[in-house]
Amino acid sequence: MIFKLNEDNQAWLNESWKKLQVKMSAECDRIGSRIPYIPEGGRYKEDKGETDIYWWTNGFWPGMLWQMYHATGEEKYKAAAERVEHRLDAAFAGYDGLHHDVGFMWLHSAVANYRLTGSTRSKTRGIHAANLLAGRYNPRGKFIRAWNDDCTGWIIVDCMMNIPLLYWASETTQDPRFAYIAKDHADTALKQIVRPDGSCNHIVILDPENGELVEAPGGQGYAAGSSWSRGQAWAIYGFALSYHHTGEQRYLDAAKQVAHYFLANVAGTDFVPVVDFRAPEEPVYWDTTAGVCAACGMLEIAEHVGESERALYVNGAVQILKATDRRFCNWNPEEDAIVDNGTGSYHSRNGDFAVPIIYGDYFLIEGILRLKGSDLLIW
């Protein structure tokens, strides 16, 4: 869908697209098939393909490349993305390090490739990843467990963005079991993660024998009962995508509920979210990645509502993207990464605090291309 924008917003979009083409062309030439995460001194020095092939963000760089290939037709993006996809086979071979984030890893690589090229090898990779995700399903509690080790009854809001892999697998194989698992998990998340006011838990621990609630710890937010902003963004986009794939109204209603809560909070911080909406006012910690992800979710919602409602979500998304651009974007093609001030979690000081993080760039690109009507639905 191409959204109607006013003259100023259209001018911003056109200029952003020009800058994005220059930046991504330079990055593609520099990075190629390495797998970036967080830059150091303006350069992506670490290659996650060498240091941690299982890392959950390893699909975002090929996702950026496929988005650019789809929008421009430039073969170099396709070539680099396919090489990354091939490298990710090492994660299948190792297996032990994989968990619920296989959706993030292979939707953006193999499934994107299959959707654009029809590659049978990529289709096989995507179905393999979907079976790994489906294998984490708990039929008593009706949820997909998060992580490994002692997290038997854990579910997290992030997984709402992984279950589109299961919807895709059902659509592709005509096997409804994948979608049944996805919907069971979405319904459990709707019951246990989304609160009545539109805020969300990050982590919920359930009894793996019967699915009853045991505890809701703070996770990557400030504390238990607080409101981690990227968790809210995962919920907005994740429930909107469940509606996209199923047409079941409760998912769209949930996405809208969380989106309204998100917009009410970012309106007070010039449309860039703090890391946790219920943290103390000082010090102020930003997470731009939450904003750009939420913007994409709002644009997904906008595709499923009438014209009278659409402006709320489109305008909210545009304000978030423009504010992020104005305050935190680096368009210098000689330096890696675009969106600064991403933060992995409220209490983290392990290199992912107030820095550019690869998924921030992915969602910025997707948001810009969604507004242009040129995006690839990777999810």
Side-chain angles (χ1 to χ4, degrees), residues 166-201:
L166 301 178
Y167 294 126
W168 168 82
S170 269
E171 294 161 6
T172 301
T173 65
Q174 295 299 297
D175 185 340
R177 66 192 172 94
F178 294 106
Y180 292 153
I181 291 171
K183 288 196 291 183
D184 277 356
H185 181 84
D187 288 339
T188 299
L190 183 56
K191 176 183 178 182
Q192 302 288 8
I193 286 179
V194 181
R195 304 177 185 131
D197 66 352
S199 66
C200 299
N201 293 305

PDB file of all heavy atoms in Angstrom, residues 166-201:
ATOM      1  N   LEU A 166       6.036 -19.662  11.008  1.00  0.00           N
ATOM      2  CA  LEU A 166       5.096 -20.780  11.021  1.00  0.00           C
ATOM      3  C   LEU A 166       3.908 -20.517  10.107  1.00  0.00           C
ATOM      4  O   LEU A 166       3.439 -21.435   9.418  1.00  0.00           O
ATOM      5  CB  LEU A 166       4.624 -21.058  12.449  1.00  0.00           C
ATOM      6  CG  LEU A 166       5.722 -21.403  13.463  1.00  0.00           C
ATOM      7  CD1 LEU A 166       5.127 -21.608  14.848  1.00  0.00           C
ATOM      8  CD2 LEU A 166       6.484 -22.645  13.021  1.00  0.00           C
ATOM      9  N   TYR A 167       3.417 -19.293  10.093  1.00  0.00           N
ATOM     10  CA  TYR A 167       2.337 -18.969   9.145  1.00  0.00           C
ATOM     11  C   TYR A 167       2.808 -19.188   7.707  1.00  0.00           C
ATOM     12  O   TYR A 167       2.089 -19.752   6.878  1.00  0.00           O
ATOM     13  CB  TYR A 167       1.890 -17.516   9.326  1.00  0.00           C
ATOM     14  CG  TYR A 167       1.233 -17.206  10.648  1.00  0.00           C
ATOM     15  CD1 TYR A 167       1.702 -16.162  11.453  1.00  0.00           C
ATOM     16  CD2 TYR A 167       0.129 -17.920  11.098  1.00  0.00           C
ATOM     17  CE1 TYR A 167       1.098 -15.854  12.663  1.00  0.00           C
ATOM     18  CE2 TYR A 167      -0.481 -17.627  12.303  1.00  0.00           C
ATOM     19  CZ  TYR A 167       0.008 -16.591  13.087  1.00  0.00           C
ATOM     20  OH  TYR A 167      -0.600 -16.285  14.283  1.00  0.00           O
ATOM     21  N   TRP A 168       4.029 -18.745   7.416  1.00  0.00           N
ATOM     22  CA  TRP A 168       4.584 -18.936   6.072  1.00  0.00           C
ATOM     23  C   TRP A 168       4.693 -20.427   5.746  1.00  0.00           C
ATOM     24  O   TRP A 168       4.344 -20.858   4.633  1.00  0.00           O
ATOM     25  CB  TRP A 168       5.959 -18.272   5.966  1.00  0.00           C
ATOM     26  CG  TRP A 168       6.684 -18.684   4.714  1.00  0.00           C
ATOM     27  CD1 TRP A 168       6.517 -18.173   3.456  1.00  0.00           C
ATOM     28  CD2 TRP A 168       7.665 -19.729   4.598  1.00  0.00           C
ATOM     29  NE1 TRP A 168       7.340 -18.835   2.565  1.00  0.00           N
ATOM     30  CE2 TRP A 168       8.055 -19.793   3.238  1.00  0.00           C
ATOM     31  CE3 TRP A 168       8.257 -20.609   5.507  1.00  0.00           C
ATOM     32  CZ2 TRP A 168       8.995 -20.710   2.774  1.00  0.00           C
ATOM     33  CZ3 TRP A 168       9.198 -21.523   5.048  1.00  0.00           C
ATOM     34  CH2 TRP A 168       9.556 -21.559   3.699  1.00  0.00           C
ATOM     35  N   ALA A 169       5.152 -21.222   6.699  1.00  0.00           N
ATOM     36  CA  ALA A 169       5.306 -22.651   6.461  1.00  0.00           C
ATOM     37  C   ALA A 169       3.963 -23.305   6.166  1.00  0.00           C
ATOM     38  O   ALA A 169       3.865 -24.169   5.283  1.00  0.00           O
ATOM     39  CB  ALA A 169       5.978 -23.322   7.656  1.00  0.00           C
ATOM     40  N   SER A 170       2.921 -22.900   6.875  1.00  0.00           N
ATOM     41  CA  SER A 170       1.589 -23.454   6.593  1.00  0.00           C
ATOM     42  C   SER A 170       1.114 -23.060   5.200  1.00  0.00           C
ATOM     43  O   SER A 170       0.572 -23.882   4.448  1.00  0.00           O
ATOM     44  CB  SER A 170       0.572 -22.983   7.635  1.00  0.00           C
ATOM     45  OG  SER A 170       0.501 -23.880   8.724  1.00  0.00           O
ATOM     46  N   GLU A 171       1.308 -21.805   4.865  1.00  0.00           N
ATOM     47  CA  GLU A 171       0.873 -21.335   3.546  1.00  0.00           C
ATOM     48  C   GLU A 171       1.651 -22.046   2.433  1.00  0.00           C
ATOM     49  O   GLU A 171       1.095 -22.376   1.381  1.00  0.00           O
ATOM     50  CB  GLU A 171       1.096 -19.822   3.445  1.00  0.00           C
ATOM     51  CG  GLU A 171       0.223 -19.006   4.386  1.00  0.00           C
ATOM     52  CD  GLU A 171       0.757 -17.596   4.631  1.00  0.00           C
ATOM     53  OE1 GLU A 171       1.753 -17.199   3.970  1.00  0.00           O
ATOM     54  OE2 GLU A 171       0.198 -16.890   5.486  1.00  0.00           O
ATOM     55  N   THR A 172       2.933 -22.301   2.669  1.00  0.00           N
ATOM     56  CA  THR A 172       3.800 -22.865   1.640  1.00  0.00           C
ATOM     57  C   THR A 172       3.596 -24.367   1.474  1.00  0.00           C
ATOM     58  O   THR A 172       3.610 -24.883   0.349  1.00  0.00           O
ATOM     59  CB  THR A 172       5.276 -22.574   1.990  1.00  0.00           C
ATOM     60  OG1 THR A 172       5.445 -21.158   2.088  1.00  0.00           O
ATOM     61  CG2 THR A 172       6.216 -23.094   0.904  1.00  0.00           C
ATOM     62  N   THR A 173       3.409 -25.081   2.582  1.00  0.00           N
ATOM     63  CA  THR A 173       3.281 -26.543   2.532  1.00  0.00           C
ATOM     64  C   THR A 173       1.829 -27.012   2.525  1.00  0.00           C
ATOM     65  O   THR A 173       1.581 -28.200   2.337  1.00  0.00           O
ATOM     66  CB  THR A 173       3.979 -27.182   3.737  1.00  0.00           C
ATOM     67  OG1 THR A 173       3.306 -26.781   4.941  1.00  0.00           O
ATOM     68  CG2 THR A 173       5.447 -26.755   3.816  1.00  0.00           C
ATOM     69  N   GLN A 174       0.893 -26.074   2.768  1.00  0.00           N
ATOM     70  CA  GLN A 174      -0.516 -26.424   2.922  1.00  0.00           C
ATOM     71  C   GLN A 174      -0.727 -27.405   4.080  1.00  0.00           C
ATOM     72  O   GLN A 174      -1.623 -28.253   4.053  1.00  0.00           O
ATOM     73  CB  GLN A 174      -1.075 -27.011   1.616  1.00  0.00           C
ATOM     74  CG  GLN A 174      -1.093 -26.027   0.455  1.00  0.00           C
ATOM     75  CD  GLN A 174      -1.979 -24.809   0.748  1.00  0.00           C
ATOM     76  OE1 GLN A 174      -3.198 -24.931   0.933  1.00  0.00           O
ATOM     77  NE2 GLN A 174      -1.363 -23.631   0.812  1.00  0.00           N
ATOM     78  N   ASP A 175       0.101 -27.272   5.095  1.00  0.00           N
ATOM     79  CA  ASP A 175       0.006 -28.084   6.308  1.00  0.00           C
ATOM     80  C   ASP A 175      -0.435 -27.174   7.449  1.00  0.00           C
ATOM     81  O   ASP A 175       0.342 -26.317   7.895  1.00  0.00           O
ATOM     82  CB  ASP A 175       1.361 -28.720   6.604  1.00  0.00           C
ATOM     83  CG  ASP A 175       1.306 -29.687   7.789  1.00  0.00           C
ATOM     84  OD1 ASP A 175       0.365 -29.600   8.596  1.00  0.00           O
ATOM     85  OD2 ASP A 175       2.222 -30.528   7.906  1.00  0.00           O
ATOM     86  N   PRO A 176      -1.662 -27.308   7.949  1.00  0.00           N
ATOM     87  CA  PRO A 176      -2.184 -26.344   8.931  1.00  0.00           C
ATOM     88  C   PRO A 176      -1.552 -26.433  10.311  1.00  0.00           C
ATOM     89  O   PRO A 176      -1.725 -25.535  11.128  1.00  0.00           O
ATOM     90  CB  PRO A 176      -3.673 -26.695   9.007  1.00  0.00           C
ATOM     91  CG  PRO A 176      -3.722 -28.154   8.655  1.00  0.00           C
ATOM     92  CD  PRO A 176      -2.653 -28.347   7.607  1.00  0.00           C
ATOM     93  N   ARG A 177      -0.778 -27.492  10.580  1.00  0.00           N
ATOM     94  CA  ARG A 177      -0.260 -27.653  11.943  1.00  0.00           C
ATOM     95  C   ARG A 177       0.653 -26.503  12.352  1.00  0.00           C
ATOM     96  O   ARG A 177       0.657 -26.095  13.524  1.00  0.00           O
ATOM     97  CB  ARG A 177       0.461 -28.987  12.086  1.00  0.00           C
ATOM     98  CG  ARG A 177       1.721 -29.131  11.268  1.00  0.00           C
ATOM     99  CD  ARG A 177       2.233 -30.577  11.223  1.00  0.00           C
ATOM    100  NE  ARG A 177       3.330 -30.713  10.283  1.00  0.00           N
ATOM    101  CZ  ARG A 177       4.618 -30.639  10.618  1.00  0.00           C
ATOM    102  NH1 ARG A 177       4.963 -30.417  11.870  1.00  0.00           N
ATOM    103  NH2 ARG A 177       5.555 -30.782   9.702  1.00  0.00           N
ATOM    104  N   PHE A 178       1.418 -25.948  11.412  1.00  0.00           N
ATOM    105  CA  PHE A 178       2.289 -24.830  11.744  1.00  0.00           C
ATOM    106  C   PHE A 178       1.464 -23.622  12.207  1.00  0.00           C
ATOM    107  O   PHE A 178       1.794 -22.977  13.202  1.00  0.00           O
ATOM    108  CB  PHE A 178       3.148 -24.444  10.542  1.00  0.00           C
ATOM    109  CG  PHE A 178       4.139 -25.483  10.112  1.00  0.00           C
ATOM    110  CD1 PHE A 178       3.920 -26.230   8.965  1.00  0.00           C
ATOM    111  CD2 PHE A 178       5.292 -25.724  10.844  1.00  0.00           C
ATOM    112  CE1 PHE A 178       4.834 -27.186   8.550  1.00  0.00           C
ATOM    113  CE2 PHE A 178       6.212 -26.675  10.453  1.00  0.00           C
ATOM    114  CZ  PHE A 178       5.981 -27.417   9.295  1.00  0.00           C
ATOM    115  N   ALA A 179       0.405 -23.311  11.485  1.00  0.00           N
ATOM    116  CA  ALA A 179      -0.437 -22.162  11.840  1.00  0.00           C
ATOM    117  C   ALA A 179      -1.172 -22.403  13.151  1.00  0.00           C
ATOM    118  O   ALA A 179      -1.391 -21.469  13.933  1.00  0.00           O
ATOM    119  CB  ALA A 179      -1.430 -21.858  10.727  1.00  0.00           C
ATOM    120  N   TYR A 180      -1.578 -23.661  13.419  1.00  0.00           N
ATOM    121  CA  TYR A 180      -2.229 -23.959  14.697  1.00  0.00           C
ATOM    122  C   TYR A 180      -1.292 -23.638  15.860  1.00  0.00           C
ATOM    123  O   TYR A 180      -1.708 -23.060  16.869  1.00  0.00           O
ATOM    124  CB  TYR A 180      -2.618 -25.440  14.773  1.00  0.00           C
ATOM    125  CG  TYR A 180      -3.713 -25.867  13.826  1.00  0.00           C
ATOM    126  CD1 TYR A 180      -3.780 -27.185  13.373  1.00  0.00           C
ATOM    127  CD2 TYR A 180      -4.689 -24.974  13.386  1.00  0.00           C
ATOM    128  CE1 TYR A 180      -4.776 -27.595  12.505  1.00  0.00           C
ATOM    129  CE2 TYR A 180      -5.692 -25.371  12.520  1.00  0.00           C
ATOM    130  CZ  TYR A 180      -5.726 -26.683  12.081  1.00  0.00           C
ATOM    131  OH  TYR A 180      -6.722 -27.090  11.220  1.00  0.00           O
ATOM    132  N   ILE A 181      -0.033 -24.020  15.714  1.00  0.00           N
ATOM    133  CA  ILE A 181       0.947 -23.734  16.770  1.00  0.00           C
ATOM    134  C   ILE A 181       1.131 -22.228  16.924  1.00  0.00           C
ATOM    135  O   ILE A 181       1.165 -21.702  18.046  1.00  0.00           O
ATOM    136  CB  ILE A 181       2.286 -24.425  16.452  1.00  0.00           C
ATOM    137  CG1 ILE A 181       2.137 -25.941  16.574  1.00  0.00           C
ATOM    138  CG2 ILE A 181       3.395 -23.912  17.369  1.00  0.00           C
ATOM    139  CD1 ILE A 181       3.347 -26.723  16.077  1.00  0.00           C
ATOM    140  N   ALA A 182       1.243 -21.523  15.800  1.00  0.00           N
ATOM    141  CA  ALA A 182       1.429 -20.068  15.847  1.00  0.00           C
ATOM    142  C   ALA A 182       0.255 -19.395  16.549  1.00  0.00           C
ATOM    143  O   ALA A 182       0.437 -18.509  17.407  1.00  0.00           O
ATOM    144  CB  ALA A 182       1.600 -19.510  14.438  1.00  0.00           C
ATOM    145  N   LYS A 183      -0.961 -19.806  16.210  1.00  0.00           N
ATOM    146  CA  LYS A 183      -2.140 -19.177  16.822  1.00  0.00           C
ATOM    147  C   LYS A 183      -2.267 -19.542  18.299  1.00  0.00           C
ATOM    148  O   LYS A 183      -2.668 -18.697  19.113  1.00  0.00           O
ATOM    149  CB  LYS A 183      -3.405 -19.563  16.054  1.00  0.00           C
ATOM    150  CG  LYS A 183      -3.500 -18.887  14.702  1.00  0.00           C
ATOM    151  CD  LYS A 183      -4.910 -18.957  14.119  1.00  0.00           C
ATOM    152  CE  LYS A 183      -5.278 -20.364  13.715  1.00  0.00           C
ATOM    153  NZ  LYS A 183      -6.627 -20.383  13.077  1.00  0.00           N
ATOM    154  N   ASP A 184      -1.945 -20.779  18.651  1.00  0.00           N
ATOM    155  CA  ASP A 184      -1.965 -21.140  20.069  1.00  0.00           C
ATOM    156  C   ASP A 184      -1.013 -20.250  20.857  1.00  0.00           C
ATOM    157  O   ASP A 184      -1.341 -19.757  21.939  1.00  0.00           O
ATOM    158  CB  ASP A 184      -1.554 -22.607  20.247  1.00  0.00           C
ATOM    159  CG  ASP A 184      -2.704 -23.578  20.025  1.00  0.00           C
ATOM    160  OD1 ASP A 184      -3.844 -23.130  19.814  1.00  0.00           O
ATOM    161  OD2 ASP A 184      -2.447 -24.800  20.053  1.00  0.00           O
ATOM    162  N   HIS A 185       0.197 -20.055  20.308  1.00  0.00           N
ATOM    163  CA  HIS A 185       1.165 -19.217  21.009  1.00  0.00           C
ATOM    164  C   HIS A 185       0.676 -17.769  21.089  1.00  0.00           C
ATOM    165  O   HIS A 185       0.788 -17.124  22.141  1.00  0.00           O
ATOM    166  CB  HIS A 185       2.527 -19.259  20.327  1.00  0.00           C
ATOM    167  CG  HIS A 185       3.542 -18.422  21.028  1.00  0.00           C
ATOM    168  ND1 HIS A 185       4.272 -18.876  22.109  1.00  0.00           N
ATOM    169  CD2 HIS A 185       3.932 -17.131  20.839  1.00  0.00           C
ATOM    170  CE1 HIS A 185       5.056 -17.911  22.544  1.00  0.00           C
ATOM    171  NE2 HIS A 185       4.883 -16.848  21.789  1.00  0.00           N
ATOM    172  N   ALA A 186       0.134 -17.256  19.992  1.00  0.00           N
ATOM    173  CA  ALA A 186      -0.366 -15.877  19.985  1.00  0.00           C
ATOM    174  C   ALA A 186      -1.486 -15.699  21.005  1.00  0.00           C
ATOM    175  O   ALA A 186      -1.550 -14.670  21.703  1.00  0.00           O
ATOM    176  CB  ALA A 186      -0.847 -15.498  18.589  1.00  0.00           C
ATOM    177  N   ASP A 187      -2.355 -16.693  21.129  1.00  0.00           N
ATOM    178  CA  ASP A 187      -3.452 -16.594  22.096  1.00  0.00           C
ATOM    179  C   ASP A 187      -2.937 -16.632  23.531  1.00  0.00           C
ATOM    180  O   ASP A 187      -3.438 -15.915  24.402  1.00  0.00           O
ATOM    181  CB  ASP A 187      -4.463 -17.722  21.859  1.00  0.00           C
ATOM    182  CG  ASP A 187      -5.280 -17.523  20.597  1.00  0.00           C
ATOM    183  OD1 ASP A 187      -5.382 -16.371  20.116  1.00  0.00           O
ATOM    184  OD2 ASP A 187      -5.816 -18.518  20.073  1.00  0.00           O
ATOM    185  N   THR A 188      -1.929 -17.472  23.770  1.00  0.00           N
ATOM    186  CA  THR A 188      -1.336 -17.508  25.111  1.00  0.00           C
ATOM    187  C   THR A 188      -0.645 -16.186  25.424  1.00  0.00           C
ATOM    188  O   THR A 188      -0.751 -15.657  26.538  1.00  0.00           O
ATOM    189  CB  THR A 188      -0.355 -18.681  25.224  1.00  0.00           C
ATOM    190  OG1 THR A 188      -1.060 -19.904  25.009  1.00  0.00           O
ATOM    191  CG2 THR A 188       0.308 -18.723  26.586  1.00  0.00           C
ATOM    192  N   ALA A 189       0.065 -15.637  24.453  1.00  0.00           N
ATOM    193  CA  ALA A 189       0.713 -14.338  24.648  1.00  0.00           C
ATOM    194  C   ALA A 189      -0.317 -13.239  24.886  1.00  0.00           C
ATOM    195  O   ALA A 189      -0.113 -12.345  25.724  1.00  0.00           O
ATOM    196  CB  ALA A 189       1.574 -13.992  23.443  1.00  0.00           C
ATOM    197  N   LEU A 190      -1.417 -13.298  24.164  1.00  0.00           N
ATOM    198  CA  LEU A 190      -2.474 -12.296  24.340  1.00  0.00           C
ATOM    199  C   LEU A 190      -3.031 -12.359  25.761  1.00  0.00           C
ATOM    200  O   LEU A 190      -3.289 -11.320  26.394  1.00  0.00           O
ATOM    201  CB  LEU A 190      -3.577 -12.548  23.317  1.00  0.00           C
ATOM    202  CG  LEU A 190      -4.746 -11.569  23.280  1.00  0.00           C
ATOM    203  CD1 LEU A 190      -4.257 -10.143  23.080  1.00  0.00           C
ATOM    204  CD2 LEU A 190      -5.722 -11.961  22.178  1.00  0.00           C
ATOM    205  N   LYS A 191      -3.163 -13.554  26.285  1.00  0.00           N
ATOM    206  CA  LYS A 191      -3.713 -13.731  27.629  1.00  0.00           C
ATOM    207  C   LYS A 191      -2.711 -13.370  28.715  1.00  0.00           C
ATOM    208  O   LYS A 191      -3.059 -12.717  29.712  1.00  0.00           O
ATOM    209  CB  LYS A 191      -4.160 -15.186  27.798  1.00  0.00           C
ATOM    210  CG  LYS A 191      -4.660 -15.526  29.200  1.00  0.00           C
ATOM    211  CD  LYS A 191      -5.023 -17.002  29.306  1.00  0.00           C
ATOM    212  CE  LYS A 191      -5.467 -17.364  30.722  1.00  0.00           C
ATOM    213  NZ  LYS A 191      -5.768 -18.820  30.844  1.00  0.00           N
ATOM    214  N   GLN A 192      -1.446 -13.764  28.536  1.00  0.00           N
ATOM    215  CA  GLN A 192      -0.479 -13.673  29.621  1.00  0.00           C
ATOM    216  C   GLN A 192       0.475 -12.492  29.520  1.00  0.00           C
ATOM    217  O   GLN A 192       1.048 -12.082  30.532  1.00  0.00           O
ATOM    218  CB  GLN A 192       0.354 -14.967  29.682  1.00  0.00           C
ATOM    219  CG  GLN A 192      -0.456 -16.233  29.860  1.00  0.00           C
ATOM    220  CD  GLN A 192      -1.035 -16.373  31.271  1.00  0.00           C
ATOM    221  OE1 GLN A 192      -0.971 -15.457  32.093  1.00  0.00           O
ATOM    222  NE2 GLN A 192      -1.608 -17.519  31.555  1.00  0.00           N
ATOM    223  N   ILE A 193       0.687 -11.955  28.316  1.00  0.00           N
ATOM    224  CA  ILE A 193       1.702 -10.910  28.129  1.00  0.00           C
ATOM    225  C   ILE A 193       1.087  -9.518  28.015  1.00  0.00           C
ATOM    226  O   ILE A 193       1.603  -8.560  28.588  1.00  0.00           O
ATOM    227  CB  ILE A 193       2.562 -11.232  26.889  1.00  0.00           C
ATOM    228  CG1 ILE A 193       3.522 -12.380  27.224  1.00  0.00           C
ATOM    229  CG2 ILE A 193       3.321 -10.007  26.399  1.00  0.00           C
ATOM    230  CD1 ILE A 193       4.413 -12.819  26.086  1.00  0.00           C
ATOM    231  N   VAL A 194      -0.017  -9.378  27.286  1.00  0.00           N
ATOM    232  CA  VAL A 194      -0.638  -8.059  27.085  1.00  0.00           C
ATOM    233  C   VAL A 194      -1.502  -7.719  28.292  1.00  0.00           C
ATOM    234  O   VAL A 194      -2.391  -8.482  28.670  1.00  0.00           O
ATOM    235  CB  VAL A 194      -1.477  -8.026  25.794  1.00  0.00           C
ATOM    236  CG1 VAL A 194      -2.096  -6.638  25.608  1.00  0.00           C
ATOM    237  CG2 VAL A 194      -0.616  -8.390  24.583  1.00  0.00           C
ATOM    238  N   ARG A 195      -1.231  -6.559  28.880  1.00  0.00           N
ATOM    239  CA  ARG A 195      -1.982  -6.119  30.044  1.00  0.00           C
ATOM    240  C   ARG A 195      -3.204  -5.300  29.612  1.00  0.00           C
ATOM    241  O   ARG A 195      -3.250  -4.793  28.485  1.00  0.00           O
ATOM    242  CB  ARG A 195      -1.089  -5.275  30.959  1.00  0.00           C
ATOM    243  CG  ARG A 195       0.189  -5.982  31.406  1.00  0.00           C
ATOM    244  CD  ARG A 195       1.035  -5.035  32.246  1.00  0.00           C
ATOM    245  NE  ARG A 195       2.336  -5.603  32.603  1.00  0.00           N
ATOM    246  CZ  ARG A 195       3.492  -4.988  32.457  1.00  0.00           C
ATOM    247  NH1 ARG A 195       3.528  -3.758  31.923  1.00  0.00           N
ATOM    248  NH2 ARG A 195       4.622  -5.566  32.818  1.00  0.00           N
ATOM    249  N   PRO A 196      -4.186  -5.108  30.491  1.00  0.00           N
ATOM    250  CA  PRO A 196      -5.401  -4.382  30.116  1.00  0.00           C
ATOM    251  C   PRO A 196      -5.177  -2.960  29.619  1.00  0.00           C
ATOM    252  O   PRO A 196      -5.967  -2.447  28.824  1.00  0.00           O
ATOM    253  CB  PRO A 196      -6.232  -4.396  31.413  1.00  0.00           C
ATOM    254  CG  PRO A 196      -5.789  -5.628  32.133  1.00  0.00           C
ATOM    255  CD  PRO A 196      -4.316  -5.731  31.839  1.00  0.00           C
ATOM    256  N   ASP A 197      -4.099  -2.304  30.064  1.00  0.00           N
ATOM    257  CA  ASP A 197      -3.865  -0.914  29.644  1.00  0.00           C
ATOM    258  C   ASP A 197      -3.062  -0.812  28.351  1.00  0.00           C
ATOM    259  O   ASP A 197      -2.740   0.284  27.902  1.00  0.00           O
ATOM    260  CB  ASP A 197      -3.171  -0.128  30.755  1.00  0.00           C
ATOM    261  CG  ASP A 197      -1.750  -0.611  31.051  1.00  0.00           C
ATOM    262  OD1 ASP A 197      -1.349  -1.663  30.492  1.00  0.00           O
ATOM    263  OD2 ASP A 197      -1.047   0.052  31.826  1.00  0.00           O
ATOM    264  N   GLY A 198      -2.722  -1.946  27.744  1.00  0.00           N
ATOM    265  CA  GLY A 198      -1.965  -1.926  26.494  1.00  0.00           C
ATOM    266  C   GLY A 198      -0.470  -2.068  26.689  1.00  0.00           C
ATOM    267  O   GLY A 198       0.267  -2.197  25.712  1.00  0.00           O
ATOM    268  N   SER A 199       0.006  -2.055  27.936  1.00  0.00           N
ATOM    269  CA  SER A 199       1.415  -2.342  28.183  1.00  0.00           C
ATOM    270  C   SER A 199       1.620  -3.854  28.155  1.00  0.00           C
ATOM    271  O   SER A 199       0.658  -4.629  28.124  1.00  0.00           O
ATOM    272  CB  SER A 199       1.859  -1.757  29.525  1.00  0.00           C
ATOM    273  OG  SER A 199       1.198  -2.411  30.597  1.00  0.00           O
ATOM    274  N   CYS A 200       2.878  -4.280  28.165  1.00  0.00           N
ATOM    275  CA  CYS A 200       3.178  -5.704  28.023  1.00  0.00           C
ATOM    276  C   CYS A 200       4.256  -6.147  29.002  1.00  0.00           C
ATOM    277  O   CYS A 200       5.176  -5.396  29.317  1.00  0.00           O
ATOM    278  CB  CYS A 200       3.684  -6.012  26.610  1.00  0.00           C
ATOM    279  SG  CYS A 200       2.525  -5.638  25.295  1.00  0.00           S
ATOM    280  N   ASN A 201       4.141  -7.388  29.431  1.00  0.00           N
ATOM    281  CA  ASN A 201       5.267  -8.052  30.056  1.00  0.00           C
ATOM    282  C   ASN A 201       6.292  -8.398  28.979  1.00  0.00           C
ATOM    283  O   ASN A 201       5.936  -8.598  27.812  1.00  0.00           O
ATOM    284  CB  ASN A 201       4.821  -9.351  30.734  1.00  0.00           C
ATOM    285  CG  ASN A 201       3.916  -9.113  31.919  1.00  0.00           C
ATOM    286  OD1 ASN A 201       4.259  -8.385  32.837  1.00  0.00           O
ATOM    287  ND2 ASN A 201       2.739  -9.727  31.902  1.00  0.00           N
TER     288      ASN A 201
END
